Amino acid sequence: MAKVVVDAMAMQRALTRITYEIIERNKGVDDLVILGIKTRGVYLARRIASRLQQLENVTVPVGDLDITPYRDDIEHDADSAEPEVTAANIDFSVEGKKVILVDDVLYTGRTIRAAMSAIMDLGRPKSINLAVLVDRGHRELPIRADFVGKNIPSSQHERIRVSVSEIDDRDAVEIQQA
Amino acid sequence: MAKRYLILEDGSAYAGEGFGAGATTSGEVITNLSLLGYQEIITNQIYHNQILIFSQPAIGNVGINHDSYESILPTAKGMVVRDVTNISTNRLSRLSLDEFLQQHNIPGISGIDTRHLIRKLRHMDGPVKGSIVDVADAHAFDQLNATVLTNRQVDQVATPKPYPNPDTGKNVVVIDFGLKHGILRQLSERRCNVTVLPWTASAQDVLNLDPDGVLLSTGPGSPLDLGEGVLEMIRTIQAEIPLFAIGLGHELFALANGASLRPLPVEYHGSSHPIRRIITNDIIYAAQGQGYAVDDKTIDRDRLITTYVDLINGTVQGLRHRDYPAFSVQFFTDGAPGPHESRDLFDEFMEAMTAREG
């Protein structure tokens, strides 16, 4: 049984709030770049960028980070390989920029650690902030999000599924009992 | 029904039939273009001391019900309508509009071509004073011309004392400038533990209650009549606690952050204007009631972001502070009356409080 914990309206609101919080925290949008972690983080990153464009009439560069081979939100055993994150579709420099890293679900933190390494390989950003739609807990690394859409305390036996209308049939966050 | 007159300060008189109370009344005449919600409208304290003219031709046809009061006592001065209906088949109806107005000593006049009247009022410089009288003679006009409109509306309708509306959720302080009940209803639906404070409360009074969020309510009159103290309170609070301001509260929030207001050439009261939500570039509708608008040119872009704009008259309908989780809307977000789609601003307020807790 899947239970919807964030519906389409709530997801829109969460992204809107995160956008305003990004403006608050960064005192504007100067030197901002947004990097979305594939797959759904990319679409969330684009939505945040389009909101910034609407509000500030500024085009914030958006890039993608590709992740292989495992998904953070799928149950995995402790021996599984560390995720590898590689830059994809980043046609701008991150040197000296304020990077907003965007992912759908924050879980163990291993994806984010790998993503930060990938970003560092590209250059030396001024800062990296993390925005996630869902923080489900169970961190294995000392990583926390700066902008959180919704905290969903979860059991490790549960699955959190984020759907985005761009590639799924709707916007929603669901919890599934394993 | 008795023959009565609506007279205006320009010397014009309109014959109609009286309903409700038989009293003689005077006040500023205000046009409301909403198709629905006369009960919410006449009990909304923003219409304190005003005579309401309805463009909707059929008024009274859903009676008066328990769920649609926006204040305990209506303080509007009169109703001007085309047709008044005293038969209601609405299952919620508890009494007729006529009985309700008699109870509260508010006169009404029907049989007026309100749409014609509204067109004429658009070309008159406001505020326009009017009276509902038995005889439209020179004495009545003298009385009308001698009527002085108050600028102490907030003092007259807002609570002079704090009161609680307890629940078990977020701790919210509502500053009352003449609030409509819809605001408290929306907070109750979200289980907020509310304390309503008088508008003269200081920032320290607010902070002493350790609120998770502060809401500045709607209210009547001009925010310019309320003085500097309340602006100082807003500036202190917005830097400390998530803040949500509606209507008059929005105008005060704008003033507190350096913007100016301008009077609208014609006041707008209705719910038919599309409002653009800038961040997502979509359209919502909401009940609106305003005589002033935040002057777009005076907004300090380093402090405030414009978040909503009226697509018909171009007025600023929403603001947000750049540095704090503090935001405001000009329109009524409680959907009482009017579309419900902007009610989710209360959810935005709830989530701002939650995000603050971290």
Side-chain angles (χ1 to χ4, degrees), chain B residues 293-313:
Chain B
V294 175
D295 187 345
D296 192 41
K297 293 189 289 292
T298 64
I299 294 172
D300 178 353
R301 303 283 161 202
D302 291 332
R303 286 160 85 180
L304 297 173
I305 305 171
T306 303
T307 54
Y308 290 85
V309 63
D310 185 317
L311 291 181
I312 300 292
N313 59 23

Side-chain angles (χ1 to χ4, degrees), chain B residues 129-144:
Chain B
K129 288 184 291 185
S131 289
I132 297 173
V133 295
D134 292 329
V135 186
D137 56 8
H139 174 70
F141 281 102
D142 285 348
Q143 289 281 319
L144 172 59

Side-chain angles (χ1 to χ4, degrees), chain B residues 2 25 37 89 91 114 159 201 217 219 221 233 241 250 316 330 341 343:
Chain B
T25 193
T89 52
R91 69 187 171 84
T114 52
T159 184
S217 85
M233 179 272 289
I241 297 165
H250 155 85
V316 174
Q330 179 78 64
E341 58 192 345
R343 280 185 180 170

Side-chain angles (χ1 to χ4, degrees), chain A residues 67-100:
Chain A
I67 172 167
T68 49
Y70 88 93
R71 286 260 308 281
D72 211 12
D73 52 351
I74 294 172
E75 198 180 347
H76 62 284
D77 60 60
D79 301 329
S80 66
E82 285 290 307
E84 274 185 47
V85 173
T86 50
N89 296 328
I90 302 180
D91 54 2
F92 47 84
S93 163
V94 298
E95 191 72 35
K97 301 289 186 191
K98 299 173 185 167
V99 174
I100 308 291

Side-chain angles (χ1 to χ4, degrees), chain A residues 13-172:
Chain A
R13 268 201 314 276
L15 291 171
T16 292
R17 179 170 48 74
I18 286 171
T19 306
Y20 285 124
E21 285 175 357
I22 288 171
I23 295 173
E24 275 170 38
R25 189 78 60 87
N26 292 284
K27 307 285 172 216
V29 294
D30 295 343
D31 293 326
L32 224 55
V33 301
I34 305 181
L35 298 179
I37 298 176
K38 275 187 178 177
T39 303
R40 285 166 185 75
V42 171
Y43 298 102
L44 301 178
R46 287 182 196 161
R47 289 194 203 175
I48 291 171
S50 108
R51 280 167 163 75
L52 289 169
Q53 165 92 47
Q54 288 291 336
L55 282 177
E56 303 281 46
N57 210 12
V58 169
T59 304
V60 176
V62 185
D64 306 346
L65 292 166
D66 208 346
I67 172 167
T68 49
Y70 88 93
R71 286 260 308 281
D72 211 12
D73 52 351
I74 294 172
E75 198 180 347
H76 62 284
D77 60 60
D79 301 329
S80 66
E82 285 290 307
E84 274 185 47
V85 173
T86 50
N89 296 328
I90 302 180
D91 54 2
F92 47 84
S93 163
V94 298
E95 191 72 35
K97 301 289 186 191
K98 299 173 185 167
V99 174
I100 308 291
L101 186 57
V102 181
D103 202 359
D104 52 356
V105 179
L106 177 57
Y107 189 16
T108 61
R110 289 178 193 272
T111 307
I112 303 305
R113 189 208 62 80
M116 287 194 288
S117 300
I119 295 167
M120 298 298 198
D121 289 345
L122 295 172
R124 186 183 190 283
K126 185 167 190 294
S127 62
I128 300 177
N129 280 331
L130 175 61
V132 296
L133 185 61
V134 173
D135 181 348
R136 64 169 296 189
H138 306 292
R139 217 78 77 239
E140 293 167 6
L141 297 172
I143 281 171
R144 61 163 185 80
D146 301 276
F147 311 104
V148 180
K150 192 168 176 65
N151 281 302
I152 303 179
S154 61
S155 138
Q156 279 175 309
H157 302 297
E158 287 166 328
R159 244 192 97 183
I160 306 262
R161 201 174 76 178
V162 173
S163 305
V164 294
S165 56
E166 289 91 336
I167 50 169
D168 308 305
D169 54 345
R170 62 196 173 133
D171 282 341

